[in-house]
């Protein structure tokens, strides 16, 4: 069976031509999928009965099963989805004053093994297809009746470890005949795969790049993020500088504040020094505790932020979402899998 969410419009056009159909029929079906949220081929009233029957026989419009749904008092909704092969993944819908943002998962599990992260409690089983990422957006939109305006690929997994499928996903949801989510409303987060950042800089698309930094120096980052041993902070900075020069796009540094680990004023000064001269800003993140890791949320968030501002570093503190539910990436899946 052909899984239609896995097709870009260009690929769908090629498929339709291969089965003897006119190219414009692919555009019609693509619009039914994404602009009219059709889940049944019989809804597609402007295509022939013969084509609808052909599609029924050979194609499928996937619908994820919602295994669990947690709703926070702040409006955040965390979903646990079951895939066709029985694997579980998460997605999180967050309410902002600028719209509805969905945090999308790109892999089943994660091999990056960041010391503070619940996602790495379960190692990578496989990459998600572009269609499985699209399906997260469609399933949440169907469940809530809400149009998703922003997408962040920051859920479980390292997006640049699944590069081709993530970029295909981005182009499907960005397409004007699809969901038409603006490129500047799409953010991809990486823990720092510098070779892939270079590749990403050549994509020619105005999506946003976020770097999971979480440390002001190599000593701390080596302890928190094993990827730093492959791409240390100097190498990472050079890669980011090259990306900014090539794309003229501002970069976000994500920085989780861990009590007594990376949250002192000295650390703030080191971070400011590292960022000097880069077109970038810091998104400070209050930590959602994962008992298995032993880290605690920082009590120094405001002082850390004030020190960065004093040193002329643009920064914000991320509004906490889902504090009263399993808010951290991977927590709900890990619980259901018996890891925590």
């Amino acid at each position: 069976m052909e899984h239609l969410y896995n097709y870009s419009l260009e690929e769908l056009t090629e498929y339709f031509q291969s089965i003897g159909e006119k190219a414009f029929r692919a555009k019609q079906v693509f619009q039914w999928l994404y602009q009219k949220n059709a889940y049944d081929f019989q809804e597609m009233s402007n295509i022939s009965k013969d084509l609808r029957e052909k599609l029924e026989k050979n194609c499928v419009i996937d619908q994820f099963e919602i295994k669990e749904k947690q709703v926070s008092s702040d409006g955040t909704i965390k979903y646990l989805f079951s895939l066709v092969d029985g694997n579980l993944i998460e997605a999180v819908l967050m309410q902002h004053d600028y719209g509805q943002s969905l945090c999308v998962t790109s892999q089943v599990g994660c091999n990056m093994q960041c010391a503070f992260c619940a996602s790495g409690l379960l190692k990578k089983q496989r990459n998600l297809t572009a269609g499985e990422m699209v399906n997260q957006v469609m399933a949440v939109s169907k469940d809530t009746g809400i149009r998703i305006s922003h997408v962040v690929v920051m859920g479980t997994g390292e997006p640049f470890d699944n590069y081709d499928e993530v970029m295909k996903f981005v182009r499907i949801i960005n397409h004007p005949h699809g969901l038409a989510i603006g490129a500047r409303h799409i953010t991809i987060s990486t823990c720092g795969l510098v070779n892939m950042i270079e590749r990403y800089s050549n994509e020619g698309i105005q999506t946003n790049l976020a770097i999971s930094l979480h440390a002001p120096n190599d000593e701390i980052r080596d302890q928190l993020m094993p990827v730093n041993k492959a791409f240390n902070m100097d190498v990472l900075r050079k890669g980011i500088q090259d990306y900014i020069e090539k794309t003229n796009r501002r970069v976000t540094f994500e920085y989780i504040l861990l009590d007594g680990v990376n949250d002192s004023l000295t650390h703030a000064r080191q971070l400011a020094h590292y960022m000097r001269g880069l077109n970038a800003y810091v998104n400070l993140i209050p930590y959602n505790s994962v008992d298995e890791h032993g880290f605690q949320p920082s009590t120094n968030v405001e002082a850390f932020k004030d020190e960065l501002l004093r040193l002329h570093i643009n920064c914000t503190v991320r509004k906490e979402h889902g504090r009263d539910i399993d808010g951290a990436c991977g927590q709900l899946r890990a619980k259901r899998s018996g890891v925590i």
Side-chain angles (χ1 to χ4, degrees), residues 4-5 10 16 38 78 87 90 102 128 144-145 149 152 160 167-168 241 257 262 291 326 328 333:
L4 292 191
Y5 285 147
E10 294 73 22
F16 270 53
K78 170 160 271 197
N87 275 305
E90 297 174 6
L102 187 68
L128 294 188
T144 60
S149 61
V152 292
F160 282 173
M167 292 312 302
K168 183 176 173 183
Q241 192 168 25
L257 286 160
N262 64 354
D291 292 342
D326 293 313
R333 174 174 173 261

Side-chain angles (χ1 to χ4, degrees), residues 5 48 68 70 73 100 174 233 237 242 247 280 320 324 326:
Y5 285 147
S48 70
E68 191 168 338
Q70 295 182 344
S73 59
Q100 313 292 330
N174 173 241
M233 290 183 67
R237 191 185 190 284
D242 291 346
T247 64
E320 294 187 71
D324 54 337
D326 293 313

Side-chain angles (χ1 to χ4, degrees), residues 37-245:
N37 299 329
Y39 289 90
D40 185 339
F41 295 115
Q42 299 308 317
E43 296 177 43
M44 300 180 183
S45 54
N46 61 346
I47 62 176
S48 70
K49 183 179 179 184
D50 285 348
L51 177 54
R52 276 180 276 163
E53 289 178 353
K54 192 184 292 187
L55 292 174
E56 289 269 17
K57 184 176 179 181
N58 298 303
C59 302
V60 63
I61 305 171
D62 293 291
Q63 294 187 55
F64 277 165
E65 178 190 355
I66 299 174
K67 293 292 286 186
E68 191 168 338
K69 176 178 169 182
Q70 295 182 344
V71 182
S72 169
S73 59
D74 64 19
T76 300
I77 307 175
K78 170 160 271 197
Y79 290 88
L80 186 70
F81 293 118
S82 177
L83 305 182
V84 173
D85 62 6
N87 275 305
L88 301 174
I89 61 168
E90 297 174 6
V92 182
L93 180 67
M94 294 164 286
Q95 318 282 335
H96 299 280
D97 52 9
Y98 55 76
Q100 313 292 330
S101 175
L102 187 68
C103 183
V104 170
T105 281
S106 59
Q107 297 178 311
V108 180
C110 184
N111 280 345
M112 295 300 110
Q113 297 297 298
C114 297
F116 48 81
C117 183
S119 295
L121 291 171
L122 292 160
K123 289 190 175 181
K124 174 183 163 183
Q125 303 298 307
R126 65 174 177 85
N127 289 326
L128 294 188
T129 65
E132 288 171 322
M133 287 177 263
V134 170
N135 211 329
Q136 294 171 58
V137 182
M138 301 306 295
V140 171
S141 185
K142 182 184 181 187
D143 181 64
T144 60
I146 290 172
R147 181 186 183 276
I148 307 301
S149 61
H150 294 67
V151 168
V152 292
V153 189
M154 290 184 184
T156 298
E158 164 54 56
F160 282 173
D161 189 37
N162 186 18
Y163 186 89
D164 291 334
E165 292 298 309
V166 167
M167 292 312 302
K168 183 176 173 183
F169 160 69
V170 166
R171 288 193 157 87
I172 291 171
I173 65 172
N174 173 241
H175 199 287
H177 295 306
L179 292 176
I181 298 174
R184 295 187 181 195
H185 291 177
I186 301 170
T187 300
I188 300 174
S189 175
T190 177
C191 67
L193 303 185
V194 175
N195 56 329
M196 306 312 290
I197 293 172
E198 180 182 5
R199 185 176 170 188
Y200 181 62
S201 71
N202 294 311
E203 288 290 344
I205 191 169
Q206 295 288 299
T207 44
N208 304 305
L209 176 64
I211 307 293
S212 293
L213 191 67
H214 308 312
N217 58 54
D218 280 322
E219 182 182 1
I220 295 174
R221 200 164 193 262
D222 280 348
Q223 294 171 9
L224 294 179
M225 303 181 72
V227 70
N228 200 62
K229 291 166 185 171
F231 302 104
N232 69 28
M233 290 183 67
D234 285 343
V235 172
L236 177 58
R237 191 185 190 284
K238 177 64 166 60
I240 293 166
Q241 192 168 25
D242 291 346
Y243 168 85
I244 293 170
E245 288 174 1

